[in-house]
Amino acid sequence: MSENAPILLLRVTPGAASAGLAGIWESPEGERRLIVRVTAAPEKGKANKAAVALIAKALGVAKSSVSVISG
């Protein structure tokens, strides 16, 4: 990951009926995250791979330009 790379905080919902960006989630402490819904199951990294693909497509960048730091 590049030192200047932006970091997006996401709240990923695996196993959703349809995939897409679904707004902003805010914690009681005020932390905000982009809600990402994916149809993939939360097993063996499938949901993370689907989230990477969805974010890359939304940003118009290659999937290789997006990575999961934690989750």
Side-chain angles (χ1 to χ4, degrees):
M1 182 172 71
S2 169
E3 187 175 303
N4 297 325
I7 295 176
L8 295 175
L9 298 176
L10 307 177
R11 182 170 176 100
V12 178
T13 302
S18 62
L21 304 178
I24 303 294
W25 172 85
E26 187 169 345
S27 74
E29 296 80 25
E31 179 182 79
R32 292 180 175 191
R33 294 177 180 244
L34 178 62
I35 299 170
V36 177
R37 294 190 175 132
V38 297
T39 58
E43 58 187 30
K44 300 181 183 175
K46 291 178 184 177
N48 286 345
K49 287 180 185 176
V52 164
L54 197 145
I55 293 297
K57 184 176 180 180
L59 295 175
V61 300
K63 287 187 276 186
S64 61
S65 297
V66 178
S67 60
V68 174
I69 296 172
S70 174

